[in-house]
Amino acid sequence: MKRMIRNGAARMLPIIALMLALALDLSAQRRVTPVVPLEPGTAPKKEKKEDFDRSRLVEKSDAQGNIILVDTVSGKEFVDSTLMKAPPKMEYPLLHEVIVGLNFWDGAMRVFGQKYGLADVWGEVSLHNRYFPYFAFGMGNCNDTPAGKNYTFKTPAAPYFKIGASYNFLYNSNPDYKLQMGLRYGFTTYKWNLEDVTVDEGYWGDPSHFSLMNQKHTAGYLEVTLGLKVQIIKQFSLGWHIVYHSILHETTNPNGQPMYIPGYGKRSSAITGNFSLIYTIPLSKKPTPIPDTL
Amino acid sequence: MLAGLHLIVSCSATGCTDNQNSLPLAGFYAMGSDTKITPDSIAVEGIGAPDDSLLLSPGTRVSQLYLPFRSNRKSTSFCIQYREQQLNYPELYDTLTFDYDAIPFFASEECGAMYHYKVTRFTYTRHLIDSVAMTDSLITNVDRETIKIFFRTASEEI
């Protein structure tokens, strides 16, 4: 009998344990963790800042000799920005150089058949190798009989002036190399002639001829330049500029406007160029620092 | 580099989009309307032209015609002949005369040099022409109609 009771109790034990477990589980309060998705297109407001233990940092030098901090656990490297040297605003002195040049673009273009233009001399002052006030004086002429046209256009040698400034994008680099953008105002006053004109309407059979002599003209124009200067030898450099220009003002003439303007070129072209031989006179007695890179 | 830049400079020329001469352009209209007509039986001749050459020969239907002025004269006349059988009588021909000042003008490198004509006076006979009007007294090389000739028309066309 006792054995039967013992066997029955042994069978009941797992059932009682299961019921007890279920009862306990039902009575426990559930934790609710609602998940609200972010609205489409939104990003988390803050990035979690990575913590690191400063005691794990050791000071080391890199290949260039710069001091860096290395996390001994993660292997990450840090740069202490407070130790970094701030880049200088202006590497070169205010009165840095005087630069003079001879622009012989028009002379060179005559090789390609151009029938106008002479040359100009110009000068600029290098301020911090960054800003370059500019002045130019030149002479221009024209003697052109375009093929298939009914006239000869002439302008005796006439002066022109330009004033403006350039900006060097490589101002903290080696001053032997410059990438400059400039703005200039040009002015000229001169005379032009139209000679040997033949007018033939093609019907009456008696063409007429005329010439227009000593037409006075004054013009002002704007130039936007972009160019390079490269040292060739010692104080000598070469400069190439591409020039966009536009006439700002000019006198009006009942007999028409001239096709050539000294210093500007032909009015039909919006783009021209400059090509200069340049001589540089250093103003600063101290040798200018030459950075490692351009 | 210089050659490349020279190419850029050379390619920026615009060319001549107007006439290379100052040519007055006349339009033919029906009397009392702004409707253009294309007569097929008229001839137009410049008076004094070599070999009596015609500017417009009969059988050619046009609504506009260039009437070139003589650049070395102060006046140019044109004769309009009606070659339709019932109208082909010299006494019915009309004459159109323009007096002007020729002004030497340099248009551009591409269009060249020419005269502009300032018309000071114009006269015409009124056999089959009803009236003539000028929209601008200055004739330039711009290709636009400045002379309107209104014909007496029984129907829409001569």
Side-chain angles (χ1 to χ4, degrees), chain B residues 31-32 94 124-132 150-152:
Chain B
M31 177 181 72
D94 278 310
Y124 51 92
T125 57
R126 299 186 61 188
H127 299 124
L128 287 181
I129 286 178
D130 174 70
S131 60
V132 175
F150 295 89
F151 289 99
R152 299 173 203 275

Side-chain angles (χ1 to χ4, degrees), chain B residues 30-90:
Chain B
M31 177 181 72
S33 78
D34 253 352
T35 311
K36 277 219 166 91
I37 56 171
T38 54
D40 67 346
S41 59
I42 67 167
V44 179
E45 176 192 0
I47 296 174
D51 305 324
D52 297 328
S53 62
L54 297 174
L55 287 163
L56 177 66
S57 51
T60 311
R61 298 177 72 100
V62 292
S63 62
Q64 286 183 314
L65 181 70
Y66 289 109
L67 301 175
F69 288 177
R70 297 184 85 157
S71 54
N72 50 10
R73 301 279 175 90
K74 299 278 282 179
S75 178
T76 301
S77 295
F78 301 93
C79 178
I80 302 174
Q81 305 163 9
Y82 308 98
R83 299 287 182 88
E84 202 171 317
Q85 203 171 4
Q86 306 93 306
L87 302 169
N88 194 3
Y89 301 103

Side-chain angles (χ1 to χ4, degrees), chain A residues 5 26 59 61 63 86 92 100 105 167 183 188 201 222 238 269 290 293:
Chain A
I5 292 168
L26 286 171
E59 216 174 82
S61 297
Y92 298 98
V100 290
W105 166 266
Y167 180 85
L183 201 66
T188 183
E201 302 85 0
L222 179 78
L238 286 177
S269 172
I290 299 173
T293 54

Side-chain angles (χ1 to χ4, degrees), chain A residues 35-283:
Chain A
V35 177
V36 181
L38 288 170
E39 279 188 25
T42 57
K45 282 181 182 171
K46 280 185 181 175
E47 280 187 13
K48 197 178 175 186
K49 209 170 182 179
E50 201 175 339
D51 292 328
F52 64 90
D53 187 353
R54 282 192 169 272
S55 63
R56 298 193 319 233
L57 298 179
V58 292
E59 216 174 82
K60 286 192 174 180
S61 297
D62 66 4
Q64 282 78 39
N66 301 317
I67 293 170
I68 54 168
L69 301 170
V70 182
D71 189 328
T72 51
V73 176
S74 66
K76 286 184 178 173
E77 294 180 356
F78 301 90
V79 177
D80 191 344
S81 58
T82 57
L83 294 174
M84 288 175 73
K85 204 171 100 181
K89 261 190 164 182
M90 300 286 183
E91 195 84 47
Y92 298 98
L94 174 66
L95 288 174
H96 175 229
E97 291 170 340
V98 168
I99 301 155
V100 290
L102 173 71
N103 170 25
F104 55 99
W105 166 266
D106 284 329
M109 287 302 105
R110 282 181 182 263
V111 175
F112 298 99
Q114 184 174 294
K115 302 284 177 55
Y116 59 86
L118 294 171
D120 60 63
V121 287
W122 55 267
E124 57 187 14
V125 179
S126 168
L127 304 177
H128 295 300
N129 192 38
R130 191 173 192 177
Y131 308 107
F132 295 81
Y134 170 95
F135 178 80
F137 167 76
M139 297 291 284
N141 73 345
C142 180
N143 185 350
D144 194 4
T145 309
K149 301 297 177 188
N150 63 341
Y151 64 90
T152 295
F153 184 94
K154 285 185 182 175
T155 298
Y160 61 86
F161 305 90
K162 291 178 187 176
I163 191 165
S166 299
Y167 180 85
N168 178 19
F169 293 101
L170 308 176
Y171 58 91
N172 272 351
S173 301
N174 187 339
D176 292 339
Y177 305 92
K178 296 183 177 76
L179 174 64
Q180 289 177 302
M181 182 164 240
L183 201 66
R184 298 166 191 171
Y185 170 76
F187 179 82
T188 183
T189 181
Y190 64 106
K191 287 180 181 175
W192 58 277
N193 303 328
L194 197 63
E195 299 177 11
D196 305 326
V197 178
T198 301
V199 178
D200 186 0
E201 302 85 0
Y203 175 72
W204 294 102
D206 52 350
S208 58
H209 307 275
F210 70 86
S211 290
L212 279 172
M213 303 302 286
N214 296 319
Q215 302 293 304
K216 285 183 183 174
H217 199 73
T218 299
Y221 47 89
L222 179 78
E223 288 185 343
V224 182
T225 68
L226 179 67
L228 288 169
K229 283 179 190 170
V230 179
Q231 186 199 37
I232 301 301
I233 185 166
K234 291 184 179 175
Q235 309 295 97
F236 289 96
S237 308
L238 286 177
W240 296 264
H241 281 81
I242 189 156
V243 180
Y244 167 80
H245 56 192
S246 178
I247 297 168
L248 294 177
H249 60 86
E250 62 181 326
T251 48
T252 52
N253 187 329
N255 298 116
Q257 301 298 77
M259 71 180 202
Y260 170 73
I261 298 170
Y264 182 93
K266 285 189 175 175
R267 70 168 60 235
S268 56
S269 172
I271 294 171
T272 184
N274 285 171
F275 182 54
S276 296
L277 178 65
I278 299 160
Y279 184 78
T280 304
I281 305 159
L283 289 180

Side-chain angles (χ1 to χ4, degrees), chain B residues 4 108 132 143:
Chain B
S108 67
V132 175
D143 195 21

